[in-house]
Amino acid sequence: MEPSYSQKISQRQWSQPDKGQRESQREATFMDDIVQKDHLERQVLGALEGVETVFDGGGGCGRFSIPLAKRGLRVTHFDISQPMLDKAQELAAQAGVLDRMTFVEGALEDLSAYRDGQFDLVMSFDAPVSYTYPNQERVLGELARICKKRLLLSVSSRLGSLPYLANPLNKNQFILDSSCGDPYVKWCLENKDAMVEGFRFDKGAAERLLDNGLMGGQAEIDEYEQGGVPWCITYCFLPQELRGILERLGLREIRMSGPGAYARTVPHEILQKIMNDPQQKRDFLDFCFVYDQNPYVLGMGKDNLFAAAEKSSE
């Protein structure tokens, strides 16, 4: 596999014209995204001591960068997708924070424009690091290099992703409102029976993912070359693997969690009832935040593995 293919495929996937709008509505559509964003927001808010400058690598539509700019921080919002950047700028303008944000189109594979320790806080959420295969370890090193104080990131979780290979209806469990009109929700509902009918468990695929952590490859390259828009080639990390990489980079006080580990055990109807009751929702999210940081479940988050680390001052 040519190293450039992951970047090219990611760029095409995330640069679809409707991506910006769809991504900006995730938390209004799917309950797993509500849980994951809440967890990450809490982690971010707890990491702001002494922070003035922020780099958000793979910032998308500004789910985290815009709120930080509203708190007075100077934020570099970096993304591979121009439609994402356009939507983020639109939302930043509405929030009145354009003067505190810099928007940059680029790929995480090349952060050479930034100097060592340029940003107090470096963030990269929703697994863009995993989409840089086979360069994921080098990219982690670059994120650590430009970080001065604190690194927060989420990558694709190998153990968390494996259940998807036995569950073609994984997003159906988390639909908040089946009548919301979202095109992807509509597709999930309309294709439910066909997905079940056509499903066959592939033991070999599960064993390969467990063994090498790689989702995608030649089939995605072929689809890309034929003009298609395949899902990104993705490297999925094991918890101990990610911790080991961060330790080798000299980072310290590493904390990890698996956002969504608790929520994925709850049946759709019950989860929907919880999310539609403000008090139950608050209580549930409070408990999820604690549960999902337990070291015995962190690998089984919805599909992301979160890590926070401090940059040594030495």
Side-chain angles (χ1 to χ4, degrees):
M1 180 189 303
E2 292 183 23
S4 62
Y5 264 108
S6 288
Q7 182 176 328
K8 292 190 293 187
I9 290 172
S10 292
Q11 189 164 31
R12 183 178 292 178
Q13 168 64 226
W14 295 109
S15 293
Q16 295 175 78
D18 64 341
K19 269 293 187 182
Q21 183 64 28
R22 284 170 55 192
E23 287 295 305
S24 69
Q25 298 175 332
R26 283 169 56 181
E27 288 79 38
T29 309
F30 293 102
M31 296 179 285
D32 54 344
D33 290 312
I34 292 173
V35 172
Q36 181 159 289
K37 186 183 180 186
D38 179 81
H39 186 104
L40 295 175
E41 281 182 337
R42 293 177 191 233
Q43 296 284 6
V44 170
L45 292 176
L48 297 183
E49 183 179 353
V51 170
E52 296 181 358
T53 56
V54 179
F55 177 86
D56 189 358
C61 297
R63 296 163 75 214
F64 301 100
S65 59
I66 291 173
L68 290 181
K70 290 175 71 173
R71 297 177 73 91
L73 304 180
R74 298 193 303 277
V75 182
T76 295
H77 181 107
F78 184 96
D79 202 275
I80 199 170
S81 162
Q82 189 59 52
M84 291 287 197
L85 290 167
D86 292 342
K87 186 63 178 181
Q89 287 181 282
E90 175 191 330
L91 295 175
Q94 293 173 10
V97 296
L98 279 176
D99 60 326
R100 291 194 288 275
M101 299 185 69
T102 301
F103 296 89
V104 180
E105 182 181 3
L108 289 178
E109 288 90 338
D110 182 9
L111 299 180
S112 59
Y114 303 108
R115 66 180 184 274
D116 294 2
Q118 182 168 341
F119 303 96
D120 296 327
L121 173 64
V122 171
M123 312 185 304
S124 182
F125 294 141
D126 294 330
V129 170
S130 285
Y131 305 147
T132 65
Y133 176 85
N135 300 309
Q136 67 275 7
E137 290 198 34
R138 181 174 63 80
V139 169
L140 286 171
E142 280 292 277
L143 291 171
R145 178 185 65 80
I146 67 174
C147 172
K148 181 179 181 181
K149 295 183 178 180
R150 208 157 290 127
L151 175 66
L152 304 180
L153 58 92
S154 64
V155 299
S156 292
S157 168
R158 190 177 310 185
L159 298 176
S161 295
L162 273 162
Y164 294 158
L165 299 188
N167 182 11
L169 305 179
N170 68 85
K171 284 305 271 189
N172 292 55
Q173 177 186 353
F174 298 109
I175 294 172
L176 180 60
D177 178 6
S178 59
S179 63
C180 68
D182 181 273
Y184 184 51
V185 169
K186 183 179 180 181
W187 185 91
C188 288
L189 296 172
E190 289 179 348
N191 288 275
K192 178 180 178 180
D193 291 343
M195 294 291 283
V196 173
E197 181 65 26
F199 175 76
R200 180 178 177 83
F201 180 68
D202 187 337
K203 179 184 176 185
E207 289 176 336
R208 286 191 296 273
L209 178 55
L210 181 60
D211 179 58
N212 64 28
L214 188 62
M215 297 179 70
Q218 191 59 49
E220 283 70 23
I221 292 172
D222 292 343
E223 183 178 350
Y224 174 88
E225 288 294 349
Q226 294 165 13
V229 188
W231 184 252
C232 310
I233 297 171
T234 306
Y235 183 78
C236 303
F237 291 79
L238 290 168
Q240 63 270 31
E241 175 189 15
L242 180 59
R243 177 180 289 276
I245 294 170
L246 297 178
E247 288 175 345
R248 289 194 296 274
L249 291 171
L251 297 168
R252 57 188 176 81
E253 297 181 35
I254 299 168
R255 298 182 293 103
M256 302 179 71
S257 58
Y262 189 66
R264 77 186 309 172
T265 70
V266 181
H268 172 261
E269 295 83 358
I270 302 301
L271 193 57
Q272 194 175 51
K273 183 175 182 179
I274 290 170
M275 289 295 172
N276 284 318
D277 181 293
Q279 184 60 57
Q280 289 190 69
K281 179 180 177 181
R282 284 193 296 272
D283 290 345
F284 183 76
L285 293 175
D286 286 347
F287 185 77
C288 285
F289 184 68
V290 175
Y291 181 97
D292 292 349
Q293 293 184 78
N294 189 291
Y296 292 101
V297 303
L298 64 88
M300 285 301 292
K302 180 181 75 75
D303 51 22
N304 271 208
L305 177 63
F306 169 83
E310 298 291 317
K311 187 75 173 286
S312 175
S313 59
E314 298 177 1

